[in-house]
Amino acid sequence: ISTFFHNLAYYIFKEFRKRGITIEKPEKEEFDRQATFAFDQFLDEVEAQLVDQKIIVLIDEFEVLEAQVKKGRLDPELFEYLRSLMQHHTSINFLLSGTHTIEELTRGYWSVFFNMALHHQLSRLSAASAIGLITNPVAGYLEYEPYAIHKIRDLTADQPYLLHLVC
């Protein structure tokens, strides 16, 4: 858990530095001693620098955390701590991405998030959105043949994750 929160703090620190916002670099030793306390202190400093801004913390493949809990590598209380962060740090928004359905999220570790999170299931994109997802990120660097775009859309059924994976 100390590594998880130290890494999260470090990436926030790096993004702040890119934007010219000065905060103290998170030290691994502090997180090794008491991870959640060190992270709380770090977030207090982050929020003091945000003023009227917000940050978004994206945790992709969030279900990997559940797998780590089941393996005994993470404490199940991690989920309750994350919920506490979501409730008490209003300038920080969390975007949790994963493959679980709403039904799966209401069981076990996930239930702590159910009544406070907005749930959105990504489904098939429109043709224009799918083409945009294929072509826009590489515009000016790569141009797809029309048949290649057609084939990518056909193979992925315009599902955003699959489009991203193929491209």
Side-chain angles (χ1 to χ4, degrees):
I1 197 163
S2 65
T3 301
F4 174 78
F5 283 115
H6 176 259
N7 287 350
L8 187 53
Y10 179 74
Y11 287 114
I12 293 170
F13 163 78
K14 276 180 47 177
E15 288 303 317
F16 270 52
R17 189 172 60 190
K18 284 181 193 175
R19 289 163 175 76
I21 303 171
T22 304
I23 57 173
E24 193 172 318
K25 183 178 180 180
E27 297 298 331
K28 181 71 168 102
E29 299 77 32
E30 296 291 323
F31 287 81
D32 287 341
R33 277 196 290 279
Q34 201 169 8
T36 56
F37 181 72
F39 195 66
D40 283 336
Q41 285 186 314
F42 176 78
L43 289 181
D44 288 344
E45 183 182 359
V46 164
E47 286 185 308
Q49 296 297 319
L50 286 175
V51 189
D52 290 327
Q53 299 176 26
K54 291 185 179 258
I55 63 170
I56 298 174
V57 175
L58 167 62
I59 303 177
D60 193 11
E61 298 181 13
F62 192 62
E63 61 274 1
V64 170
L65 293 177
E66 180 181 18
Q68 295 301 312
V69 167
K70 287 180 178 178
K71 290 178 184 176
R73 294 182 181 159
L74 284 176
D75 191 319
E77 292 173 1
L78 166 70
F79 295 98
E80 292 193 23
Y81 176 69
L82 287 173
R83 178 191 169 101
S84 174
L85 291 176
M86 292 172 190
Q87 288 178 310
H88 301 295
H89 291 277
T90 57
S91 60
I92 301 171
N93 293 317
F94 289 81
L95 178 58
L96 310 176
S97 172
T99 59
H100 286 316
T101 64
I102 292 295
E103 292 77 24
E104 292 169 320
L105 292 174
T106 60
R107 296 192 301 262
Y109 309 116
W110 303 100
S111 63
V112 298
F113 300 113
F114 185 70
N115 69 347
M116 65 177 291
L118 299 174
H119 304 271
H120 297 281
Q121 182 175 353
L122 294 180
S123 60
R124 183 181 196 147
L125 297 176
S126 68
S129 294
I131 292 168
L133 186 57
I134 294 167
T135 59
N136 290 346
V138 295
Y141 300 102
L142 174 67
E143 187 174 329
Y144 286 95
E145 291 289 330
Y147 182 73
I149 293 172
H150 171 76
K151 198 64 176 167
I152 291 169
R153 291 189 56 229
D154 189 45
L155 290 169
T156 62
D158 292 338
Q159 294 293 324
Y161 174 74
L162 297 176
L163 285 165
H164 175 74
L165 200 60
V166 168
C167 292

